[in-house]
């Protein structure tokens, strides 16, 4: 049989460990298993203290109460379990909300990528049309330049012929038939 002092020390140690665990973030199932183990050990220590030492009383804020089965439950133990359960449920809801948000963001991101790909395709099509138009305009400019050069040479020949007529009136009668022949 344990002494009253050893049971009190064990009870104080278990409460300290439970308090330290309750301040930690809920991480996994092992956390809940450890809390439950501490709770059972605390109940056991309280039962032994009240059975073997009837005059023993717990702290005022942790007055032991017996449930319908005769087991001792402390007010804090029940509150800690409720707080842990609420914390777990809140974290679970938060995780579900974040999962839904991530799924929505992925969906929106995929839609944006699809739109951007469509825009890129449209821009590529427009660029190819502009390149074709530019090539056609370049060919037209080359034809126009060649035509202008030809016309300029014709104008130069006519100017040279007129200059000859004006400078030498005798050749005027001979040059006129030659010009007509050249133009035909």
């Amino acid at each position: 049989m344990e002494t009253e002092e050893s049971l009190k020390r064990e009870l104080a140690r278990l409460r300290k460990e439970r308090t330290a665990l309750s301040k930690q973030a809920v991480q996994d199932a092992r956390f809940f298993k450890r809390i439950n183990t501490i709770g059972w050990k605390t109940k056991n220590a309280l039962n032994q203290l009240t059975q073997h030492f009837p005059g023993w009383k717990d702290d005022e804020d942790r007055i032991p109460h017996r449930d319908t089965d005769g087991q001792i439950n402390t007010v804090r133990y029940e509150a800690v379990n409720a707080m842990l359960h609420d914390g777990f449920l809140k974290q679970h809801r938060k995780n579900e909300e974040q999962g839904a948000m991530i799924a929505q963001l992925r969906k929106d991101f995929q839609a944006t990528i699809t739109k951007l790909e469509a825009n890129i395709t449209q821009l590529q099509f427009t660029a190819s049309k502009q390149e074709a138009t530019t090539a056609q305009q370049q060919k037209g400019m080359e034809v126009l330049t060649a035509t202008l050069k030809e016309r300029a040479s014709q104008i130069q020949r006519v100017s040279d012929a007129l200059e000859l007529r004006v400078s030498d009136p005798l050749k005027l009668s001979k040059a006129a038939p030659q010009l007509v022949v050249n133009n035909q």
Side-chain angles (χ1 to χ4, degrees):
M1 180 174 142
E2 296 184 43
T3 65
E4 181 178 5
E5 286 303 313
S6 66
L7 284 172
K8 285 181 181 179
R9 280 194 304 271
E10 177 68 11
L11 185 63
R13 185 190 66 76
L14 289 169
R15 286 181 173 157
K16 192 174 189 178
E17 188 176 349
R18 185 181 68 212
T19 304
L21 275 175
S22 66
K23 290 179 181 178
Q24 292 178 359
V26 175
Q27 295 179 4
D28 55 10
R30 290 180 294 180
F31 175 82
F32 288 109
K33 187 176 181 181
R34 183 69 187 136
I35 284 288
N36 285 337
T37 303
I38 292 171
W40 289 110
K41 287 181 178 180
T42 303
K43 282 183 181 182
N44 188 23
L46 283 172
N47 281 332
Q48 286 180 8
L49 276 170
T50 56
Q51 287 173 2
H52 298 298
F53 307 102
W56 180 83
K57 294 206 180 221
D58 199 1
D59 295 341
E60 289 299 319
D61 59 340
R62 294 188 197 133
I63 297 173
H65 298 283
R66 294 196 182 271
D67 60 9
T68 56
D69 297 331
Q71 297 291 321
I72 292 181
N73 286 325
T74 62
V75 176
R76 277 203 177 165
Y77 177 74
E78 292 171 356
V80 167
N81 276 345
M83 287 187 326
L84 289 174
H85 187 261
D86 288 345
F88 175 78
L89 290 176
K90 285 178 186 177
Q91 186 65 37
H92 183 67
R93 273 187 241 117
K94 184 178 177 182
N95 289 346
E96 285 180 341
E97 289 171 1
Q98 287 176 345
M101 184 185 301
I102 288 170
Q104 182 63 38
L105 288 173
R106 283 184 179 157
K107 185 179 175 183
D108 293 346
F109 183 68
Q110 190 61 40
T112 303
I113 287 174
T114 304
K115 286 179 184 177
L116 289 174
E117 287 172 346
N119 287 346
I120 288 170
T121 304
Q122 182 66 29
L123 287 172
Q124 288 173 341
F125 177 72
T126 303
S128 65
K129 280 177 60 178
Q130 287 176 347
E131 286 174 4
T133 303
T134 303
Q136 189 178 13
Q137 288 174 345
Q138 185 69 28
K139 286 180 183 177
M141 288 173 57
E142 288 172 1
V143 168
L144 183 61
T145 304
T147 304
L148 284 174
K149 285 181 180 179
E150 184 182 326
R151 295 289 181 194
S153 70
Q154 286 176 355
I155 290 172
Q156 186 63 38
R157 282 193 307 239
V158 169
S159 294
D160 290 345
L162 283 177
E163 191 175 307
L164 275 176
R165 282 188 209 163
V166 172
S167 64
D168 191 8
L170 292 176
K171 291 184 179 177
L172 183 61
S173 59
K174 294 180 183 177
Q178 288 178 344
L179 281 178
V180 172
V181 173
N182 285 338
N183 284 338
Q184 290 179 358

